Amino acid sequence: MDRRFLYFGRSLMQNTKIGIFDSGVGGLTVVDQIRRLLPAAELLYVADNARAPYGPRSAEEVLNFSRQITNFLLAQGAGLIVIACNTATSVAIDTLRLEYPDISFVGMEPAVKPAATHTRNGRIGVMATELTLSGSRYQQLVTEYAYSTEILADPCVGLVPLIEAGDWESGAVKSKLRAILDPMLAAGIDALVLGCTHYPLLREQIKAICGDGVEIIDPAPATARQVGRLYISLTDTENKTYCTPLHRFHSTGKSLPLERVLFRLRLPYRLSLASSNLG
Ligand code: DGL
């Protein structure tokens, strides 16, 4: 562990929180990585589960939700915003960067580049939402990094609600995963991109279907490293004071899905769960 990540800074971002959001519990896979890297940083999380899933919605709707949540997080004292959602990143990050030029945003995108680099046989699978897959950012990634790679992409319709419902071992989850993965495996993929932050919550189930021959790629650790670099650059790491942070988790709908996943991930937080209507 790099000791620099263990401390709060005292100047620019003293007492400033890292704001993180997703349509639901998926972004907790990113929270998990960030808190490992920055255990003293205070995190403020919004799960917009009253309006999840984002995948089947229009780009305009998801941009508006992202704007509302950004305003909420900034009002709560966030100094850095992590869009822990591939779908919201795809439609909102460019606009948010223009609208909030003084705020740093970190986004997520399907890890097509590492998958195209790691594949040995030139065939990769991409699991992502329909809005992500239809967006120009994804198309650009493919054109730039995977032009000579065969891509089997699936919009995983209906998977996010099953994950939010929490019964990850259910027959419904297994058969949904089979319907998504079987055609990819039949085509011979050797790398699989988890292009939605909800999907790493099913990593074990996905691995059980894919076996050892498929490398499963989750961009959350790389995203957390990027957050760490930014956080360090925005804070004064001299005159440090260690303190145990109080993280806050907000849901726009019921808080049970959040509580369930926080418990399952064994996230060692003092919690302040608060439902809030951002709309
Ligand atoms: N977790 C999200 C993502 O990374 C959103 C999924 C959804 O709400 O459809 O894309």
Side-chain angles (χ1 to χ4, degrees), residues 17-35 38 41-48 69-70 72-74 78-85 106 108 197 223-224 227 247-250 258 269 278:
K17 300 150 189 137
I18 299 178
I20 305 166
F21 74 90
D22 179 42
S23 65
V25 295
L28 293 179
T29 59
V30 184
V31 166
D32 191 30
Q33 297 295 325
I34 294 174
R35 65 103 192 161
L38 301 168
E42 193 176 345
L43 310 180
L44 177 60
Y45 186 87
V46 171
D48 192 12
I69 297 169
T70 297
F72 173 82
L73 290 169
L74 294 176
L80 163 64
I81 305 282
V82 182
I83 309 179
C85 173
V106 176
M108 312 267 313
T197 51
T223 305
V227 173
H247 304 302
R248 289 183 196 280
F249 295 85
H250 293 259
L258 260 183
Y269 293 125
L278 308 173

mmCIF file of all heavy atoms in Angstrom, residues 17-35 38 41-48 69-70 72-74 78-85 106 108 197 223-224 227 247-250 258 269 278:
data_model
loop_
_atom_site.group_PDB
_atom_site.id
_atom_site.type_symbol
_atom_site.label_atom_id
_atom_site.label_comp_id
_atom_site.label_asym_id
_atom_site.label_seq_id
_atom_site.Cartn_x
_atom_site.Cartn_y
_atom_site.Cartn_z
ATOM 1 N N LYS A 17 -15.152 15.671 0.075
ATOM 2 C CA LYS A 17 -15.498 14.262 -0.121
ATOM 3 C C LYS A 17 -15.355 13.871 -1.588
ATOM 4 O O LYS A 17 -15.386 14.724 -2.472
ATOM 5 C CB LYS A 17 -16.952 14.047 0.302
ATOM 6 C CG LYS A 17 -17.173 14.390 1.765
ATOM 7 C CD LYS A 17 -18.590 14.880 1.989
ATOM 8 C CE LYS A 17 -18.701 15.416 3.404
ATOM 9 N NZ LYS A 17 -19.447 16.667 3.494
ATOM 10 N N ILE A 18 -15.240 12.586 -1.794
ATOM 11 C CA ILE A 18 -15.277 12.068 -3.161
ATOM 12 C C ILE A 18 -16.724 11.645 -3.426
ATOM 13 O O ILE A 18 -17.263 10.776 -2.732
ATOM 14 C CB ILE A 18 -14.324 10.865 -3.335
ATOM 15 C CG1 ILE A 18 -12.875 11.287 -3.037
ATOM 16 C CG2 ILE A 18 -14.450 10.284 -4.741
ATOM 17 C CD1 ILE A 18 -11.864 10.145 -3.126
ATOM 18 N N GLY A 19 -17.363 12.288 -4.381
ATOM 19 C CA GLY A 19 -18.745 11.957 -4.733
ATOM 20 C C GLY A 19 -18.752 10.861 -5.797
ATOM 21 O O GLY A 19 -17.978 10.920 -6.752
ATOM 22 N N ILE A 20 -19.585 9.872 -5.609
ATOM 23 C CA ILE A 20 -19.630 8.715 -6.524
ATOM 24 C C ILE A 20 -21.097 8.415 -6.814
ATOM 25 O O ILE A 20 -21.925 8.439 -5.898
ATOM 26 C CB ILE A 20 -18.983 7.473 -5.855
ATOM 27 C CG1 ILE A 20 -17.553 7.803 -5.389
ATOM 28 C CG2 ILE A 20 -18.975 6.268 -6.789
ATOM 29 C CD1 ILE A 20 -16.963 6.784 -4.436
ATOM 30 N N PHE A 21 -21.413 8.119 -8.080
ATOM 31 C CA PHE A 21 -22.815 7.724 -8.321
ATOM 32 C C PHE A 21 -22.965 6.657 -9.398
ATOM 33 O O PHE A 21 -22.090 6.457 -10.233
ATOM 34 C CB PHE A 21 -23.704 8.935 -8.613
ATOM 35 C CG PHE A 21 -23.547 9.578 -9.978
ATOM 36 C CD1 PHE A 21 -24.317 9.145 -11.068
ATOM 37 C CD2 PHE A 21 -22.674 10.629 -10.178
ATOM 38 C CE1 PHE A 21 -24.212 9.747 -12.318
ATOM 39 C CE2 PHE A 21 -22.553 11.246 -11.420
ATOM 40 C CZ PHE A 21 -23.320 10.798 -12.496
ATOM 41 N N ASP A 22 -24.110 6.011 -9.304
ATOM 42 C CA ASP A 22 -24.502 4.979 -10.267
ATOM 43 C C ASP A 22 -26.030 4.903 -10.240
ATOM 44 O O ASP A 22 -26.674 5.513 -9.377
ATOM 45 C CB ASP A 22 -23.895 3.620 -9.858
ATOM 46 C CG ASP A 22 -24.286 2.498 -10.805
ATOM 47 O OD1 ASP A 22 -24.285 2.722 -12.031
ATOM 48 O OD2 ASP A 22 -24.601 1.385 -10.338
ATOM 49 N N SER A 23 -26.582 4.126 -11.155
ATOM 50 C CA SER A 23 -28.035 3.941 -11.139
ATOM 51 C C SER A 23 -28.470 3.096 -9.950
ATOM 52 O O SER A 23 -29.658 3.069 -9.628
ATOM 53 C CB SER A 23 -28.477 3.243 -12.431
ATOM 54 O OG SER A 23 -27.937 1.931 -12.460
ATOM 55 N N GLY A 24 -27.541 2.396 -9.335
ATOM 56 C CA GLY A 24 -27.923 1.526 -8.210
ATOM 57 C C GLY A 24 -26.714 1.021 -7.464
ATOM 58 O O GLY A 24 -25.808 1.800 -7.154
ATOM 59 N N VAL A 25 -26.690 -0.303 -7.221
ATOM 60 C CA VAL A 25 -25.624 -0.873 -6.385
ATOM 61 C C VAL A 25 -24.326 -1.134 -7.146
ATOM 62 O O VAL A 25 -23.298 -1.418 -6.535
ATOM 63 C CB VAL A 25 -26.084 -2.199 -5.721
ATOM 64 C CG1 VAL A 25 -27.227 -1.941 -4.755
ATOM 65 C CG2 VAL A 25 -26.488 -3.244 -6.767
ATOM 66 N N GLY A 26 -24.364 -1.045 -8.486
ATOM 67 C CA GLY A 26 -23.183 -1.390 -9.274
ATOM 68 C C GLY A 26 -21.946 -0.591 -8.897
ATOM 69 O O GLY A 26 -20.844 -1.130 -8.795
ATOM 70 N N GLY A 27 -22.140 0.692 -8.654
ATOM 71 C CA GLY A 27 -20.996 1.549 -8.347
ATOM 72 C C GLY A 27 -20.290 1.175 -7.055
ATOM 73 O O GLY A 27 -19.162 1.615 -6.801
ATOM 74 N N LEU A 28 -20.928 0.311 -6.247
ATOM 75 C CA LEU A 28 -20.253 -0.126 -5.017
ATOM 76 C C LEU A 28 -19.042 -0.991 -5.346
ATOM 77 O O LEU A 28 -18.116 -1.103 -4.535
ATOM 78 C CB LEU A 28 -21.226 -0.893 -4.110
ATOM 79 C CG LEU A 28 -22.368 -0.054 -3.526
ATOM 80 C CD1 LEU A 28 -23.281 -0.924 -2.665
ATOM 81 C CD2 LEU A 28 -21.841 1.116 -2.699
ATOM 82 N N THR A 29 -19.016 -1.584 -6.540
ATOM 83 C CA THR A 29 -17.821 -2.343 -6.943
ATOM 84 C C THR A 29 -16.643 -1.388 -7.132
ATOM 85 O O THR A 29 -15.500 -1.753 -6.940
ATOM 86 C CB THR A 29 -18.070 -3.164 -8.242
ATOM 87 O OG1 THR A 29 -18.453 -2.272 -9.316
ATOM 88 C CG2 THR A 29 -19.175 -4.184 -8.047
ATOM 89 N N VAL A 30 -16.950 -0.154 -7.482
ATOM 90 C CA VAL A 30 -15.910 0.868 -7.639
ATOM 91 C C VAL A 30 -15.559 1.457 -6.265
ATOM 92 O O VAL A 30 -14.381 1.669 -5.945
ATOM 93 C CB VAL A 30 -16.374 1.966 -8.623
ATOM 94 C CG1 VAL A 30 -15.282 2.987 -8.872
ATOM 95 C CG2 VAL A 30 -16.837 1.341 -9.933
ATOM 96 N N VAL A 31 -16.591 1.684 -5.444
ATOM 97 C CA VAL A 31 -16.369 2.153 -4.061
ATOM 98 C C VAL A 31 -15.412 1.202 -3.345
ATOM 99 O O VAL A 31 -14.474 1.629 -2.654
ATOM 100 C CB VAL A 31 -17.709 2.212 -3.280
ATOM 101 C CG1 VAL A 31 -17.488 2.351 -1.785
ATOM 102 C CG2 VAL A 31 -18.563 3.364 -3.794
ATOM 103 N N ASP A 32 -15.640 -0.090 -3.522
ATOM 104 C CA ASP A 32 -14.809 -1.102 -2.869
ATOM 105 C C ASP A 32 -13.327 -0.908 -3.221
ATOM 106 O O ASP A 32 -12.458 -0.961 -2.354
ATOM 107 C CB ASP A 32 -15.302 -2.488 -3.328
ATOM 108 C CG ASP A 32 -14.695 -3.610 -2.515
ATOM 109 O OD1 ASP A 32 -14.385 -3.381 -1.325
ATOM 110 O OD2 ASP A 32 -14.519 -4.711 -3.060
ATOM 111 N N GLN A 33 -13.063 -0.654 -4.503
ATOM 112 C CA GLN A 33 -11.668 -0.459 -4.943
ATOM 113 C C GLN A 33 -11.116 0.871 -4.435
ATOM 114 O O GLN A 33 -9.954 0.959 -4.042
ATOM 115 C CB GLN A 33 -11.593 -0.484 -6.479
ATOM 116 C CG GLN A 33 -11.998 -1.807 -7.095
ATOM 117 C CD GLN A 33 -11.044 -2.932 -6.733
ATOM 118 O OE1 GLN A 33 -9.847 -2.722 -6.600
ATOM 119 N NE2 GLN A 33 -11.574 -4.131 -6.552
ATOM 120 N N ILE A 34 -11.941 1.919 -4.457
ATOM 121 C CA ILE A 34 -11.459 3.241 -4.027
ATOM 122 C C ILE A 34 -11.110 3.226 -2.546
ATOM 123 O O ILE A 34 -10.065 3.736 -2.134
ATOM 124 C CB ILE A 34 -12.511 4.344 -4.326
ATOM 125 C CG1 ILE A 34 -12.690 4.513 -5.831
ATOM 126 C CG2 ILE A 34 -12.109 5.680 -3.696
ATOM 127 C CD1 ILE A 34 -13.816 5.470 -6.220
ATOM 128 N N ARG A 35 -11.952 2.586 -1.745
ATOM 129 C CA ARG A 35 -11.669 2.643 -0.294
ATOM 130 C C ARG A 35 -10.441 1.782 0.068
ATOM 131 O O ARG A 35 -9.775 2.035 1.047
ATOM 132 C CB ARG A 35 -12.891 2.289 0.535
ATOM 133 C CG ARG A 35 -13.382 0.879 0.384
ATOM 134 C CD ARG A 35 -12.989 0.011 1.544
ATOM 135 N NE ARG A 35 -13.246 -1.379 1.224
ATOM 136 C CZ ARG A 35 -12.690 -2.381 1.872
ATOM 137 N NH1 ARG A 35 -11.851 -2.172 2.840
ATOM 138 N NH2 ARG A 35 -12.971 -3.613 1.527
ATOM 139 N N LEU A 38 -7.748 4.409 -0.947
ATOM 140 C CA LEU A 38 -7.818 5.685 -0.211
ATOM 141 C C LEU A 38 -8.631 5.487 1.073
ATOM 142 O O LEU A 38 -9.723 6.048 1.212
ATOM 143 C CB LEU A 38 -8.495 6.754 -1.071
ATOM 144 C CG LEU A 38 -7.867 7.109 -2.410
ATOM 145 C CD1 LEU A 38 -8.817 7.957 -3.248
ATOM 146 C CD2 LEU A 38 -6.557 7.856 -2.209
ATOM 147 N N ALA A 41 -10.102 8.622 2.765
ATOM 148 C CA ALA A 41 -10.920 9.590 2.026
ATOM 149 C C ALA A 41 -12.407 9.377 2.342
ATOM 150 O O ALA A 41 -12.877 8.243 2.452
ATOM 151 C CB ALA A 41 -10.689 9.438 0.533
ATOM 152 N N GLU A 42 -13.117 10.471 2.483
ATOM 153 C CA GLU A 42 -14.542 10.394 2.812
ATOM 154 C C GLU A 42 -15.354 10.254 1.521
ATOM 155 O O GLU A 42 -15.225 11.073 0.608
ATOM 156 C CB GLU A 42 -14.931 11.670 3.564
ATOM 157 C CG GLU A 42 -16.270 11.569 4.228
ATOM 158 C CD GLU A 42 -16.581 12.830 5.043
ATOM 159 O OE1 GLU A 42 -15.661 13.633 5.304
ATOM 160 O OE2 GLU A 42 -17.748 13.005 5.383
ATOM 161 N N LEU A 43 -16.179 9.238 1.475
ATOM 162 C CA LEU A 43 -16.938 8.952 0.251
ATOM 163 C C LEU A 43 -18.427 9.262 0.450
ATOM 164 O O LEU A 43 -18.980 9.030 1.525
ATOM 165 C CB LEU A 43 -16.783 7.474 -0.136
ATOM 166 C CG LEU A 43 -15.349 6.920 -0.192
ATOM 167 C CD1 LEU A 43 -15.361 5.446 -0.598
ATOM 168 C CD2 LEU A 43 -14.486 7.718 -1.155
ATOM 169 N N LEU A 44 -19.007 9.790 -0.600
ATOM 170 C CA LEU A 44 -20.426 10.131 -0.586
ATOM 171 C C LEU A 44 -21.027 9.472 -1.826
ATOM 172 O O LEU A 44 -20.585 9.750 -2.939
ATOM 173 C CB LEU A 44 -20.535 11.659 -0.661
ATOM 174 C CG LEU A 44 -21.890 12.306 -0.742
ATOM 175 C CD1 LEU A 44 -22.728 11.960 0.480
ATOM 176 C CD2 LEU A 44 -21.710 13.821 -0.828
ATOM 177 N N TYR A 45 -21.974 8.573 -1.636
ATOM 178 C CA TYR A 45 -22.451 7.745 -2.742
ATOM 179 C C TYR A 45 -23.942 7.958 -2.991
ATOM 180 O O TYR A 45 -24.729 8.034 -2.051
ATOM 181 C CB TYR A 45 -22.214 6.270 -2.393
ATOM 182 C CG TYR A 45 -22.540 5.296 -3.503
ATOM 183 C CD1 TYR A 45 -21.591 4.986 -4.460
ATOM 184 C CD2 TYR A 45 -23.790 4.693 -3.598
ATOM 185 C CE1 TYR A 45 -21.887 4.091 -5.487
ATOM 186 C CE2 TYR A 45 -24.094 3.806 -4.622
ATOM 187 C CZ TYR A 45 -23.122 3.516 -5.560
ATOM 188 O OH TYR A 45 -23.401 2.635 -6.577
ATOM 189 N N VAL A 46 -24.308 8.037 -4.256
ATOM 190 C CA VAL A 46 -25.734 8.071 -4.613
ATOM 191 C C VAL A 46 -26.052 6.876 -5.508
ATOM 192 O O VAL A 46 -25.415 6.664 -6.543
ATOM 193 C CB VAL A 46 -26.115 9.373 -5.353
ATOM 194 C CG1 VAL A 46 -27.541 9.277 -5.898
ATOM 195 C CG2 VAL A 46 -26.010 10.575 -4.426
ATOM 196 N N ALA A 47 -27.047 6.102 -5.086
ATOM 197 C CA ALA A 47 -27.606 5.027 -5.909
ATOM 198 C C ALA A 47 -28.971 5.527 -6.378
ATOM 199 O O ALA A 47 -29.878 5.695 -5.568
ATOM 200 C CB ALA A 47 -27.775 3.761 -5.074
ATOM 201 N N ASP A 48 -29.096 5.760 -7.670
ATOM 202 C CA ASP A 48 -30.357 6.313 -8.195
ATOM 203 C C ASP A 48 -31.328 5.181 -8.514
ATOM 204 O O ASP A 48 -31.850 5.072 -9.627
ATOM 205 C CB ASP A 48 -30.040 7.159 -9.445
ATOM 206 C CG ASP A 48 -31.234 7.995 -9.878
ATOM 207 O OD1 ASP A 48 -32.219 8.099 -9.108
ATOM 208 O OD2 ASP A 48 -31.179 8.556 -10.989
ATOM 209 N N ILE A 69 -27.748 14.584 -9.936
ATOM 210 C CA ILE A 69 -26.946 13.906 -8.901
ATOM 211 C C ILE A 69 -25.642 14.670 -8.681
ATOM 212 O O ILE A 69 -25.182 14.825 -7.542
ATOM 213 C CB ILE A 69 -26.670 12.435 -9.299
ATOM 214 C CG1 ILE A 69 -28.004 11.672 -9.391
ATOM 215 C CG2 ILE A 69 -25.750 11.762 -8.284
ATOM 216 C CD1 ILE A 69 -27.896 10.297 -10.024
ATOM 217 N N THR A 70 -25.059 15.181 -9.766
ATOM 218 C CA THR A 70 -23.835 15.981 -9.620
ATOM 219 C C THR A 70 -24.113 17.193 -8.739
ATOM 220 O O THR A 70 -23.341 17.490 -7.820
ATOM 221 C CB THR A 70 -23.311 16.416 -11.010
ATOM 222 O OG1 THR A 70 -22.977 15.235 -11.740
ATOM 223 C CG2 THR A 70 -22.090 17.308 -10.902
ATOM 224 N N PHE A 72 -26.389 17.525 -6.462
ATOM 225 C CA PHE A 72 -26.606 17.036 -5.101
ATOM 226 C C PHE A 72 -25.256 16.758 -4.419
ATOM 227 O O PHE A 72 -25.005 17.189 -3.292
ATOM 228 C CB PHE A 72 -27.456 15.763 -5.151
ATOM 229 C CG PHE A 72 -27.606 15.066 -3.830
ATOM 230 C CD1 PHE A 72 -28.549 15.504 -2.911
ATOM 231 C CD2 PHE A 72 -26.805 13.975 -3.502
ATOM 232 C CE1 PHE A 72 -28.688 14.863 -1.681
ATOM 233 C CE2 PHE A 72 -26.934 13.339 -2.283
ATOM 234 C CZ PHE A 72 -27.875 13.776 -1.369
ATOM 235 N N LEU A 73 -24.373 16.046 -5.142
ATOM 236 C CA LEU A 73 -23.070 15.681 -4.548
ATOM 237 C C LEU A 73 -22.227 16.924 -4.265
ATOM 238 O O LEU A 73 -21.581 17.020 -3.220
ATOM 239 C CB LEU A 73 -22.314 14.720 -5.487
ATOM 240 C CG LEU A 73 -22.906 13.312 -5.616
ATOM 241 C CD1 LEU A 73 -22.240 12.546 -6.755
ATOM 242 C CD2 LEU A 73 -22.742 12.535 -4.308
ATOM 243 N N LEU A 74 -22.270 17.880 -5.180
ATOM 244 C CA LEU A 74 -21.494 19.116 -4.964
ATOM 245 C C LEU A 74 -22.048 19.880 -3.760
ATOM 246 O O LEU A 74 -21.291 20.399 -2.936
ATOM 247 C CB LEU A 74 -21.508 19.994 -6.221
ATOM 248 C CG LEU A 74 -20.785 19.400 -7.447
ATOM 249 C CD1 LEU A 74 -20.951 20.315 -8.656
ATOM 250 C CD2 LEU A 74 -19.301 19.165 -7.155
ATOM 251 N N ALA A 78 -18.867 17.415 -2.155
ATOM 252 C CA ALA A 78 -17.944 16.623 -2.978
ATOM 253 C C ALA A 78 -17.037 17.561 -3.781
ATOM 254 O O ALA A 78 -17.492 18.600 -4.276
ATOM 255 C CB ALA A 78 -18.733 15.720 -3.920
ATOM 256 N N GLY A 79 -15.761 17.192 -3.891
ATOM 257 C CA GLY A 79 -14.834 18.019 -4.648
ATOM 258 C C GLY A 79 -14.334 17.309 -5.896
ATOM 259 O O GLY A 79 -13.592 17.877 -6.702
ATOM 260 N N LEU A 80 -14.721 16.064 -6.028
ATOM 261 C CA LEU A 80 -14.302 15.217 -7.152
ATOM 262 C C LEU A 80 -15.465 14.261 -7.387
ATOM 263 O O LEU A 80 -16.013 13.723 -6.429
ATOM 264 C CB LEU A 80 -13.028 14.460 -6.707
ATOM 265 C CG LEU A 80 -12.538 13.240 -7.450
ATOM 266 C CD1 LEU A 80 -12.148 13.608 -8.869
ATOM 267 C CD2 LEU A 80 -11.300 12.667 -6.750
ATOM 268 N N ILE A 81 -15.857 14.103 -8.641
ATOM 269 C CA ILE A 81 -17.028 13.261 -8.927
ATOM 270 C C ILE A 81 -16.606 12.034 -9.734
ATOM 271 O O ILE A 81 -15.960 12.167 -10.783
ATOM 272 C CB ILE A 81 -18.095 14.031 -9.745
ATOM 273 C CG1 ILE A 81 -18.511 15.339 -9.055
ATOM 274 C CG2 ILE A 81 -19.315 13.136 -10.038
ATOM 275 C CD1 ILE A 81 -19.463 15.223 -7.911
ATOM 276 N N VAL A 82 -16.983 10.876 -9.236
ATOM 277 C CA VAL A 82 -16.713 9.627 -9.956
ATOM 278 C C VAL A 82 -18.040 9.106 -10.505
ATOM 279 O O VAL A 82 -18.960 8.816 -9.737
ATOM 280 C CB VAL A 82 -16.090 8.564 -9.021
ATOM 281 C CG1 VAL A 82 -15.773 7.295 -9.809
ATOM 282 C CG2 VAL A 82 -14.845 9.114 -8.327
ATOM 283 N N ILE A 83 -18.121 9.035 -11.823
ATOM 284 C CA ILE A 83 -19.334 8.471 -12.441
ATOM 285 C C ILE A 83 -19.092 6.965 -12.546
ATOM 286 O O ILE A 83 -18.474 6.483 -13.493
ATOM 287 C CB ILE A 83 -19.603 9.090 -13.830
ATOM 288 C CG1 ILE A 83 -19.586 10.624 -13.756
ATOM 289 C CG2 ILE A 83 -20.937 8.586 -14.380
ATOM 290 C CD1 ILE A 83 -19.821 11.324 -15.076
ATOM 291 N N ALA A 84 -19.541 6.248 -11.507
ATOM 292 C CA ALA A 84 -19.251 4.813 -11.418
ATOM 293 C C ALA A 84 -20.290 4.024 -12.207
ATOM 294 O O ALA A 84 -20.881 3.065 -11.714
ATOM 295 C CB ALA A 84 -19.217 4.385 -9.959
ATOM 296 N N CYS A 85 -20.491 4.457 -13.419
ATOM 297 C CA CYS A 85 -21.546 3.919 -14.268
ATOM 298 C C CYS A 85 -21.120 4.146 -15.722
ATOM 299 O O CYS A 85 -20.912 5.280 -16.141
ATOM 300 C CB CYS A 85 -22.842 4.670 -13.976
ATOM 301 S SG CYS A 85 -24.213 4.261 -15.070
ATOM 302 N N VAL A 106 -14.238 11.647 -12.992
ATOM 303 C CA VAL A 106 -13.650 10.384 -13.449
ATOM 304 C C VAL A 106 -14.810 9.523 -13.918
ATOM 305 O O VAL A 106 -15.807 9.388 -13.196
ATOM 306 C CB VAL A 106 -12.889 9.669 -12.307
ATOM 307 C CG1 VAL A 106 -12.364 8.312 -12.778
ATOM 308 C CG2 VAL A 106 -11.737 10.533 -11.800
ATOM 309 N N MET A 108 -16.255 5.906 -16.368
ATOM 310 C CA MET A 108 -15.966 4.490 -16.630
ATOM 311 C C MET A 108 -16.318 4.203 -18.092
ATOM 312 O O MET A 108 -17.313 4.721 -18.587
ATOM 313 C CB MET A 108 -16.878 3.572 -15.814
ATOM 314 C CG MET A 108 -17.029 3.872 -14.369
ATOM 315 S SD MET A 108 -15.893 3.002 -13.316
ATOM 316 C CE MET A 108 -15.887 1.313 -13.788
ATOM 317 N N THR A 197 -20.993 -1.533 -14.252
ATOM 318 C CA THR A 197 -20.434 -1.739 -12.910
ATOM 319 C C THR A 197 -21.241 -2.728 -12.067
ATOM 320 O O THR A 197 -20.766 -3.191 -11.032
ATOM 321 C CB THR A 197 -20.328 -0.392 -12.165
ATOM 322 O OG1 THR A 197 -21.590 0.294 -12.238
ATOM 323 C CG2 THR A 197 -19.249 0.477 -12.783
ATOM 324 N N THR A 223 -9.968 2.354 -12.599
ATOM 325 C CA THR A 223 -10.704 3.589 -12.289
ATOM 326 C C THR A 223 -10.289 4.105 -10.912
ATOM 327 O O THR A 223 -10.064 5.309 -10.726
ATOM 328 C CB THR A 223 -12.229 3.323 -12.308
ATOM 329 O OG1 THR A 223 -12.567 2.763 -13.571
ATOM 330 C CG2 THR A 223 -13.026 4.596 -12.070
ATOM 331 N N ALA A 224 -10.191 3.199 -9.951
ATOM 332 C CA ALA A 224 -9.798 3.608 -8.591
ATOM 333 C C ALA A 224 -8.394 4.207 -8.599
ATOM 334 O O ALA A 224 -8.133 5.197 -7.909
ATOM 335 C CB ALA A 224 -9.872 2.412 -7.645
ATOM 336 N N VAL A 227 -8.702 7.684 -9.767
ATOM 337 C CA VAL A 227 -9.254 8.515 -8.686
ATOM 338 C C VAL A 227 -8.145 8.827 -7.681
ATOM 339 O O VAL A 227 -7.999 9.966 -7.225
ATOM 340 C CB VAL A 227 -10.440 7.802 -7.981
ATOM 341 C CG1 VAL A 227 -10.907 8.579 -6.759
ATOM 342 C CG2 VAL A 227 -11.594 7.602 -8.954
ATOM 343 N N HIS A 247 -18.555 7.456 5.783
ATOM 344 C CA HIS A 247 -19.075 7.484 4.414
ATOM 345 C C HIS A 247 -20.592 7.584 4.449
ATOM 346 O O HIS A 247 -21.235 7.085 5.361
ATOM 347 C CB HIS A 247 -18.664 6.206 3.676
ATOM 348 C CG HIS A 247 -17.192 5.978 3.678
ATOM 349 N ND1 HIS A 247 -16.297 6.885 3.175
ATOM 350 C CD2 HIS A 247 -16.454 4.944 4.142
ATOM 351 C CE1 HIS A 247 -15.074 6.416 3.321
ATOM 352 N NE2 HIS A 247 -15.133 5.250 3.902
ATOM 353 N N ARG A 248 -21.125 8.215 3.423
ATOM 354 C CA ARG A 248 -22.587 8.344 3.371
ATOM 355 C C ARG A 248 -23.121 7.732 2.076
ATOM 356 O O ARG A 248 -22.558 7.953 1.009
ATOM 357 C CB ARG A 248 -23.000 9.810 3.442
ATOM 358 C CG ARG A 248 -22.777 10.395 4.804
ATOM 359 C CD ARG A 248 -23.241 11.834 4.902
ATOM 360 N NE ARG A 248 -22.662 12.425 6.093
ATOM 361 C CZ ARG A 248 -23.144 12.244 7.326
ATOM 362 N NH1 ARG A 248 -24.216 11.523 7.507
ATOM 363 N NH2 ARG A 248 -22.543 12.797 8.361
ATOM 364 N N PHE A 249 -24.195 6.995 2.222
ATOM 365 C CA PHE A 249 -24.798 6.316 1.072
ATOM 366 C C PHE A 249 -26.249 6.751 0.953
ATOM 367 O O PHE A 249 -27.015 6.602 1.896
ATOM 368 C CB PHE A 249 -24.713 4.797 1.264
ATOM 369 C CG PHE A 249 -23.305 4.296 1.270
ATOM 370 C CD1 PHE A 249 -22.559 4.314 2.435
ATOM 371 C CD2 PHE A 249 -22.708 3.853 0.109
ATOM 372 C CE1 PHE A 249 -21.244 3.885 2.435
ATOM 373 C CE2 PHE A 249 -21.393 3.424 0.093
ATOM 374 C CZ PHE A 249 -20.657 3.448 1.268
ATOM 375 N N HIS A 250 -26.589 7.294 -0.194
ATOM 376 C CA HIS A 250 -27.962 7.741 -0.428
ATOM 377 C C HIS A 250 -28.588 6.885 -1.514
ATOM 378 O O HIS A 250 -27.934 6.574 -2.504
ATOM 379 C CB HIS A 250 -27.979 9.188 -0.932
ATOM 380 C CG HIS A 250 -27.524 10.178 0.089
ATOM 381 N ND1 HIS A 250 -28.388 10.940 0.820
ATOM 382 C CD2 HIS A 250 -26.287 10.507 0.496
ATOM 383 C CE1 HIS A 250 -27.708 11.710 1.645
ATOM 384 N NE2 HIS A 250 -26.420 11.471 1.459
ATOM 385 N N LEU A 258 -28.933 -1.351 -1.340
ATOM 386 C CA LEU A 258 -27.611 -0.819 -0.958
ATOM 387 C C LEU A 258 -27.080 -1.533 0.279
ATOM 388 O O LEU A 258 -25.928 -1.981 0.307
ATOM 389 C CB LEU A 258 -27.741 0.665 -0.601
ATOM 390 C CG LEU A 258 -27.352 1.716 -1.616
ATOM 391 C CD1 LEU A 258 -27.489 3.092 -1.006
ATOM 392 C CD2 LEU A 258 -25.932 1.513 -2.113
ATOM 393 N N TYR A 269 -17.761 0.107 6.839
ATOM 394 C CA TYR A 269 -18.124 1.519 6.978
ATOM 395 C C TYR A 269 -19.008 1.771 8.174
ATOM 396 O O TYR A 269 -19.823 0.944 8.548
ATOM 397 C CB TYR A 269 -18.897 1.990 5.738
ATOM 398 C CG TYR A 269 -18.081 2.024 4.498
ATOM 399 C CD1 TYR A 269 -18.485 1.350 3.370
ATOM 400 C CD2 TYR A 269 -16.890 2.728 4.455
ATOM 401 C CE1 TYR A 269 -17.734 1.377 2.215
ATOM 402 C CE2 TYR A 269 -16.130 2.755 3.306
ATOM 403 C CZ TYR A 269 -16.556 2.083 2.182
ATOM 404 O OH TYR A 269 -15.811 2.117 1.047
ATOM 405 N N LEU A 278 -33.939 13.064 -5.430
ATOM 406 C CA LEU A 278 -33.140 14.103 -6.095
ATOM 407 C C LEU A 278 -33.928 14.783 -7.187
ATOM 408 O O LEU A 278 -33.515 15.808 -7.709
ATOM 409 C CB LEU A 278 -31.876 13.500 -6.699
ATOM 410 C CG LEU A 278 -31.033 12.663 -5.753
ATOM 411 C CD1 LEU A 278 -29.921 11.980 -6.502
ATOM 412 C CD2 LEU A 278 -30.450 13.551 -4.671
#
